[in-house]
Amino acid sequence: MCGIAGYIGKAPLNESRIPETLALMANRGPDFKAHVSFNFNGLSTYLLHTRLSIIDLDERANQPFTIGDCTVIFNGEIYNYIELRRRLREKGVSFRTESDTEVLLQCYLQYGDSCVDYFEGMWSFAIYDRRNSRLLLSRDRFAEKPMYYFSTPDGVYFASEVKFIRSLMGESLTVNHQQVLRYLVNGYKSLYKTGETFFSGLKELPFASNMIIGSDLRSSISRYWTPARIPGEMSLSEAIEGFRYHLLEAVKIRLRADVPLAFCLSGGIDSASITSIAAKIFNYDVTSFSIIDSDERYNEYDNVRATVDDL
């Protein structure tokens, strides 16, 4: 979990808001904080980042990260970065870090906006491309990582948390009372029925989507992925083995980290499965955290205990 925030617009930001915003962002990234700014073609662009170091802990992998005319700020992980780096090296690309951040940006330089088609992971990122003075915002296929944005006549603010946008703007957002009422009546089911949020004018970038903000500050959003079903014949044993193979591979690449990882272990089959796979198949030294509810209807202690004892 890292923190990202930024702005692209006609007028420069009040410089005092940048350190104030970075301080707010420390909850998402305590290991390093920095920002860059650009003034090009009449536009001011700011990229802010706070880092939680997971892969390549060296300062060489800090962000904002720049290669040539492109700079990225990134929250998330590209799990298949090792395979992608190998493919890029075969194309003659050289690397100066061991990070997935550099792989992400090199993929953009190689494949453009379609780089996301190659990623297996969770992400929200922003890439400022000075070659054509435009900003690319992207969000992963299932919207695991947050990305909010707020458009004004002078520019666009974006961030992984609403309070970062408010801080960069230097003013409060207007509460969307209609959405608050929907939530009070219908609960969480109301959250994604419309594109509205709890603040007027504030939006979330949809899942599996790229947003491009051009030099004229016009923005366009495109969906880069849609779930698809491809019918095919298979036996029950083939289905079981196929599922097992993909589940093991998914857990394997998600264990890639230069710091210890922990598992959120409930009494469900999903968390018990991935925790057991990590321990039994990949010999990972598992640490887990659980929440035990005092309400017996939701108390999963016995199942959690059974998994812990088994491991």
Side-chain angles (χ1 to χ4, degrees):
M1 183 174 71
C2 296
I4 65 173
Y7 164 79
I8 181 169
K10 302 173 185 176
L13 291 178
N14 183 325
E15 290 292 330
S16 66
R17 296 175 191 162
I18 295 174
E20 293 172 358
T21 305
L22 287 170
L24 279 178
M25 294 167 62
N27 68 310
R28 299 189 67 89
D31 297 325
F32 184 77
K33 60 182 179 181
H35 79 282
V36 292
S37 60
F38 309 95
N39 291 285
F40 187 67
N41 282 351
L43 290 181
S44 296
T45 304
Y46 299 79
L47 302 176
L48 290 72
H49 189 267
T50 56
R51 185 183 183 194
L52 179 65
S53 301
I54 302 294
I55 297 173
D56 191 347
L57 310 184
D58 194 275
E59 63 181 16
R60 64 192 176 187
N62 287 338
Q63 302 177 47
F65 190 90
T66 299
I67 301 174
D69 289 323
C70 297
T71 301
V72 65
I73 51 175
F74 164 45
N75 171 30
E77 282 190 64
I78 306 301
Y79 299 121
N80 62 333
Y81 75 100
I82 292 176
E83 291 78 8
L84 291 174
R85 185 171 60 206
R86 186 182 304 124
R87 179 185 300 182
L88 291 171
R89 278 178 171 157
E90 291 172 354
K91 292 178 176 288
V93 177
S94 59
F95 291 84
R96 66 177 190 263
T97 77
E98 297 296 319
S99 69
D100 56 339
T101 301
E102 184 175 15
V103 171
L104 186 162
L105 190 53
Q106 289 285 14
C107 281
Y108 171 77
L109 293 172
Q110 189 76 29
Y111 305 116
D113 298 345
S114 63
C115 62
V116 292
D117 296 334
Y118 297 85
F119 298 155
E120 181 173 350
M122 54 179 181
W123 69 82
S124 61
F125 66 76
I127 295 176
Y128 180 64
D129 191 333
R130 288 179 294 285
R131 296 171 300 183
N132 45 29
S133 188
R134 70 163 202 168
L135 187 71
L136 167 65
L137 305 181
S138 183
R139 199 172 184 193
D140 62 67
R141 292 176 181 84
F142 296 100
E144 292 181 68
K145 292 301 180 182
M147 176 71 86
Y148 296 93
Y149 67 96
F150 188 88
S151 300
T152 71
D154 291 329
V156 180
Y157 299 84
F158 65 91
S160 47
E161 290 190 37
V162 179
K163 62 186 177 183
F164 307 158
I165 291 177
R166 184 179 64 226
S167 177
L168 283 179
M169 292 177 62
E171 58 185 79
S172 297
L173 301 175
T174 302
V175 173
N176 181 350
H177 291 94
Q178 189 62 41
Q179 181 66 0
V180 172
L181 291 173
R182 289 193 194 100
Y183 180 73
L184 291 174
V185 172
N186 298 311
Y188 73 92
K189 294 179 180 180
S190 69
L191 294 181
Y192 297 103
K193 291 294 185 182
T194 69
E196 295 187 50
T197 67
F198 289 119
F199 298 95
S200 298
L202 181 76
K203 297 181 180 179
E204 280 193 76
L205 186 62
F207 68 91
S209 294
N210 287 342
M211 178 177 181
I212 297 172
I213 304 170
S215 58
D216 57 1
L217 293 182
R218 293 182 180 178
S219 62
S220 61
I221 296 176
S222 60
R223 174 77 57 81
Y224 61 79
W225 176 82
T226 300
R229 184 180 71 91
I230 304 174
E233 294 294 329
M234 69 175 68
S235 67
L236 178 60
S237 61
E238 288 173 332
I240 292 172
E241 288 307 310
F243 180 85
R244 175 181 171 81
Y245 169 80
H246 288 294
L247 179 59
L248 293 183
E249 285 298 304
V251 174
K252 180 181 179 180
I253 65 173
R254 282 159 178 78
L255 292 176
R256 292 170 171 172
D258 296 323
V259 293
L261 300 178
F263 294 76
C264 294
L265 179 62
S266 70
I269 190 173
D270 49 355
S271 66
S273 295
I274 63 173
T275 306
S276 298
I277 289 169
K280 292 183 176 183
I281 304 298
F282 300 116
N283 297 315
Y284 195 82
D285 186 10
V286 166
T287 297
S288 67
F289 293 86
S290 301
I291 295 175
I292 306 303
D293 201 309
S294 58
D295 187 332
E296 286 301 320
R297 293 176 299 172
Y298 308 107
N299 189 320
E300 298 180 306
Y301 175 80
D302 290 343
N303 289 355
V304 171
R305 185 75 257 174
T307 301
V308 171
D309 291 344
D310 181 59
L311 299 180

mmCIF file of all heavy atoms in Angstrom, residues 186-207:
data_model
loop_
_atom_site.group_PDB
_atom_site.id
_atom_site.type_symbol
_atom_site.label_atom_id
_atom_site.label_comp_id
_atom_site.label_asym_id
_atom_site.label_seq_id
_atom_site.Cartn_x
_atom_site.Cartn_y
_atom_site.Cartn_z
ATOM 1 N N ASN A 186 -29.958 2.046 2.302
ATOM 2 C CA ASN A 186 -29.648 0.764 1.660
ATOM 3 C C ASN A 186 -28.295 0.168 2.042
ATOM 4 O O ASN A 186 -27.964 -0.938 1.609
ATOM 5 C CB ASN A 186 -29.704 0.931 0.137
ATOM 6 C CG ASN A 186 -31.080 1.333 -0.342
ATOM 7 O OD1 ASN A 186 -32.070 0.724 0.043
ATOM 8 N ND2 ASN A 186 -31.148 2.363 -1.171
ATOM 9 N N GLY A 187 -27.509 0.890 2.838
ATOM 10 C CA GLY A 187 -26.213 0.360 3.246
ATOM 11 C C GLY A 187 -25.236 0.261 2.091
ATOM 12 O O GLY A 187 -25.334 0.985 1.101
ATOM 13 N N TYR A 188 -24.273 -0.673 2.217
ATOM 14 C CA TYR A 188 -23.195 -0.771 1.235
ATOM 15 C C TYR A 188 -23.693 -1.079 -0.172
ATOM 16 O O TYR A 188 -23.007 -0.808 -1.162
ATOM 17 C CB TYR A 188 -22.192 -1.840 1.675
ATOM 18 C CG TYR A 188 -22.688 -3.259 1.524
ATOM 19 C CD1 TYR A 188 -22.441 -3.983 0.350
ATOM 20 C CD2 TYR A 188 -23.411 -3.881 2.530
ATOM 21 C CE1 TYR A 188 -22.902 -5.273 0.191
ATOM 22 C CE2 TYR A 188 -23.880 -5.182 2.381
ATOM 23 C CZ TYR A 188 -23.619 -5.868 1.217
ATOM 24 O OH TYR A 188 -24.084 -7.149 1.060
ATOM 25 N N LYS A 189 -24.891 -1.649 -0.286
ATOM 26 C CA LYS A 189 -25.416 -1.983 -1.610
ATOM 27 C C LYS A 189 -25.651 -0.737 -2.467
ATOM 28 O O LYS A 189 -25.776 -0.832 -3.683
ATOM 29 C CB LYS A 189 -26.714 -2.771 -1.474
ATOM 30 C CG LYS A 189 -26.546 -4.145 -0.835
ATOM 31 C CD LYS A 189 -27.875 -4.872 -0.714
ATOM 32 C CE LYS A 189 -27.698 -6.240 -0.071
ATOM 33 N NZ LYS A 189 -28.982 -6.967 0.068
ATOM 34 N N SER A 190 -25.707 0.417 -1.829
ATOM 35 C CA SER A 190 -25.949 1.661 -2.571
ATOM 36 C C SER A 190 -24.675 2.251 -3.167
ATOM 37 O O SER A 190 -24.739 3.160 -4.004
ATOM 38 C CB SER A 190 -26.577 2.704 -1.642
ATOM 39 O OG SER A 190 -25.628 3.132 -0.663
ATOM 40 N N LEU A 191 -23.514 1.745 -2.763
ATOM 41 C CA LEU A 191 -22.272 2.445 -3.065
ATOM 42 C C LEU A 191 -21.952 2.505 -4.555
ATOM 43 O O LEU A 191 -21.419 3.497 -5.036
ATOM 44 C CB LEU A 191 -21.115 1.797 -2.311
ATOM 45 C CG LEU A 191 -21.178 1.922 -0.780
ATOM 46 C CD1 LEU A 191 -19.965 1.253 -0.144
ATOM 47 C CD2 LEU A 191 -21.262 3.379 -0.357
ATOM 48 N N TYR A 192 -22.259 1.436 -5.303
ATOM 49 C CA TYR A 192 -21.869 1.420 -6.708
ATOM 50 C C TYR A 192 -23.060 1.267 -7.645
ATOM 51 O O TYR A 192 -22.905 0.851 -8.786
ATOM 52 C CB TYR A 192 -20.840 0.310 -6.935
ATOM 53 C CG TYR A 192 -19.572 0.555 -6.151
ATOM 54 C CD1 TYR A 192 -19.312 -0.143 -4.982
ATOM 55 C CD2 TYR A 192 -18.663 1.534 -6.550
ATOM 56 C CE1 TYR A 192 -18.157 0.109 -4.235
ATOM 57 C CE2 TYR A 192 -17.517 1.792 -5.825
ATOM 58 C CZ TYR A 192 -17.268 1.079 -4.665
ATOM 59 O OH TYR A 192 -16.130 1.337 -3.939
ATOM 60 N N LYS A 193 -24.246 1.633 -7.149
ATOM 61 C CA LYS A 193 -25.426 1.619 -8.018
ATOM 62 C C LYS A 193 -25.338 2.728 -9.063
ATOM 63 O O LYS A 193 -25.847 2.604 -10.169
ATOM 64 C CB LYS A 193 -26.703 1.793 -7.175
ATOM 65 C CG LYS A 193 -27.033 0.600 -6.292
ATOM 66 C CD LYS A 193 -27.386 -0.633 -7.114
ATOM 67 C CE LYS A 193 -27.822 -1.783 -6.222
ATOM 68 N NZ LYS A 193 -28.129 -3.003 -6.985
ATOM 69 N N THR A 194 -24.725 3.826 -8.682
ATOM 70 C CA THR A 194 -24.511 4.940 -9.611
ATOM 71 C C THR A 194 -23.024 5.280 -9.579
ATOM 72 O O THR A 194 -22.253 4.663 -8.850
ATOM 73 C CB THR A 194 -25.324 6.179 -9.186
ATOM 74 O OG1 THR A 194 -24.776 6.708 -7.968
ATOM 75 C CG2 THR A 194 -26.784 5.805 -8.945
ATOM 76 N N GLY A 195 -22.631 6.253 -10.349
ATOM 77 C CA GLY A 195 -21.237 6.683 -10.330
ATOM 78 C C GLY A 195 -20.955 7.722 -9.271
ATOM 79 O O GLY A 195 -19.850 8.274 -9.219
ATOM 80 N N GLU A 196 -21.926 7.978 -8.409
ATOM 81 C CA GLU A 196 -21.767 9.038 -7.408
ATOM 82 C C GLU A 196 -20.981 8.553 -6.201
ATOM 83 O O GLU A 196 -20.953 7.368 -5.872
ATOM 84 C CB GLU A 196 -23.144 9.544 -6.968
ATOM 85 C CG GLU A 196 -23.932 10.234 -8.069
ATOM 86 C CD GLU A 196 -25.208 10.870 -7.544
ATOM 87 O OE1 GLU A 196 -25.122 11.602 -6.543
ATOM 88 O OE2 GLU A 196 -26.278 10.597 -8.112
ATOM 89 N N THR A 197 -20.352 9.513 -5.515
ATOM 90 C CA THR A 197 -19.654 9.259 -4.259
ATOM 91 C C THR A 197 -20.286 10.130 -3.179
ATOM 92 O O THR A 197 -21.295 10.796 -3.409
ATOM 93 C CB THR A 197 -18.161 9.600 -4.377
ATOM 94 O OG1 THR A 197 -18.021 11.032 -4.543
ATOM 95 C CG2 THR A 197 -17.530 8.895 -5.573
ATOM 96 N N PHE A 198 -19.691 10.146 -2.004
ATOM 97 C CA PHE A 198 -20.238 10.931 -0.896
ATOM 98 C C PHE A 198 -19.950 12.426 -1.041
ATOM 99 O O PHE A 198 -20.386 13.218 -0.194
ATOM 100 C CB PHE A 198 -19.690 10.431 0.439
ATOM 101 C CG PHE A 198 -20.231 9.085 0.839
ATOM 102 C CD1 PHE A 198 -19.390 8.008 1.015
ATOM 103 C CD2 PHE A 198 -21.590 8.892 1.028
ATOM 104 C CE1 PHE A 198 -19.882 6.769 1.382
ATOM 105 C CE2 PHE A 198 -22.097 7.662 1.392
ATOM 106 C CZ PHE A 198 -21.238 6.599 1.570
ATOM 107 N N PHE A 199 -19.218 12.823 -2.089
ATOM 108 C CA PHE A 199 -18.923 14.237 -2.320
ATOM 109 C C PHE A 199 -19.304 14.610 -3.751
ATOM 110 O O PHE A 199 -18.995 13.877 -4.699
ATOM 111 C CB PHE A 199 -17.442 14.534 -2.082
ATOM 112 C CG PHE A 199 -16.991 14.268 -0.673
ATOM 113 C CD1 PHE A 199 -16.420 13.052 -0.331
ATOM 114 C CD2 PHE A 199 -17.154 15.224 0.311
ATOM 115 C CE1 PHE A 199 -16.010 12.797 0.970
ATOM 116 C CE2 PHE A 199 -16.762 14.983 1.611
ATOM 117 C CZ PHE A 199 -16.193 13.764 1.946
ATOM 118 N N SER A 200 -19.952 15.742 -3.894
ATOM 119 C CA SER A 200 -20.397 16.189 -5.212
ATOM 120 C C SER A 200 -19.194 16.456 -6.120
ATOM 121 O O SER A 200 -18.252 17.151 -5.728
ATOM 122 C CB SER A 200 -21.234 17.469 -5.074
ATOM 123 O OG SER A 200 -22.384 17.226 -4.304
ATOM 124 N N GLY A 201 -19.241 15.900 -7.307
ATOM 125 C CA GLY A 201 -18.173 16.113 -8.282
ATOM 126 C C GLY A 201 -17.009 15.167 -8.151
ATOM 127 O O GLY A 201 -16.187 15.051 -9.074
ATOM 128 N N LEU A 202 -16.896 14.483 -7.021
ATOM 129 C CA LEU A 202 -15.816 13.526 -6.829
ATOM 130 C C LEU A 202 -16.198 12.193 -7.464
ATOM 131 O O LEU A 202 -17.306 11.692 -7.262
ATOM 132 C CB LEU A 202 -15.540 13.323 -5.336
ATOM 133 C CG LEU A 202 -14.399 12.361 -5.012
ATOM 134 C CD1 LEU A 202 -13.055 13.026 -5.248
ATOM 135 C CD2 LEU A 202 -14.504 11.866 -3.571
ATOM 136 N N LYS A 203 -15.271 11.604 -8.214
ATOM 137 C CA LYS A 203 -15.552 10.345 -8.895
ATOM 138 C C LYS A 203 -14.442 9.339 -8.638
ATOM 139 O O LYS A 203 -13.317 9.710 -8.292
ATOM 140 C CB LYS A 203 -15.706 10.574 -10.404
ATOM 141 C CG LYS A 203 -16.885 11.473 -10.770
ATOM 142 C CD LYS A 203 -17.001 11.637 -12.272
ATOM 143 C CE LYS A 203 -18.188 12.530 -12.637
ATOM 144 N NZ LYS A 203 -18.301 12.713 -14.108
ATOM 145 N N GLU A 204 -14.786 8.063 -8.810
ATOM 146 C CA GLU A 204 -13.801 6.997 -8.795
ATOM 147 C C GLU A 204 -13.542 6.541 -10.218
ATOM 148 O O GLU A 204 -14.481 6.406 -11.009
ATOM 149 C CB GLU A 204 -14.298 5.801 -7.982
ATOM 150 C CG GLU A 204 -14.165 5.918 -6.491
ATOM 151 C CD GLU A 204 -14.383 4.579 -5.804
ATOM 152 O OE1 GLU A 204 -13.465 3.736 -5.845
ATOM 153 O OE2 GLU A 204 -15.472 4.393 -5.251
ATOM 154 N N LEU A 205 -12.277 6.317 -10.539
ATOM 155 C CA LEU A 205 -11.986 5.697 -11.820
ATOM 156 C C LEU A 205 -12.534 4.277 -11.783
ATOM 157 O O LEU A 205 -12.264 3.536 -10.839
ATOM 158 C CB LEU A 205 -10.473 5.670 -12.061
ATOM 159 C CG LEU A 205 -10.012 5.171 -13.434
ATOM 160 C CD1 LEU A 205 -10.528 6.075 -14.539
ATOM 161 C CD2 LEU A 205 -8.497 5.075 -13.486
ATOM 162 N N PRO A 206 -13.331 3.872 -12.768
ATOM 163 C CA PRO A 206 -13.930 2.530 -12.732
ATOM 164 C C PRO A 206 -12.881 1.423 -12.796
ATOM 165 O O PRO A 206 -11.729 1.644 -13.194
ATOM 166 C CB PRO A 206 -14.820 2.508 -13.981
ATOM 167 C CG PRO A 206 -15.035 3.934 -14.333
ATOM 168 C CD PRO A 206 -13.779 4.649 -13.934
ATOM 169 N N PHE A 207 -13.299 0.224 -12.414
ATOM 170 C CA PHE A 207 -12.405 -0.924 -12.506
ATOM 171 C C PHE A 207 -12.028 -1.184 -13.959
ATOM 172 O O PHE A 207 -12.762 -0.853 -14.884
ATOM 173 C CB PHE A 207 -13.064 -2.171 -11.895
ATOM 174 C CG PHE A 207 -14.240 -2.692 -12.681
ATOM 175 C CD1 PHE A 207 -14.067 -3.641 -13.672
ATOM 176 C CD2 PHE A 207 -15.526 -2.229 -12.433
ATOM 177 C CE1 PHE A 207 -15.138 -4.127 -14.396
ATOM 178 C CE2 PHE A 207 -16.615 -2.712 -13.150
ATOM 179 C CZ PHE A 207 -16.414 -3.662 -14.135
#
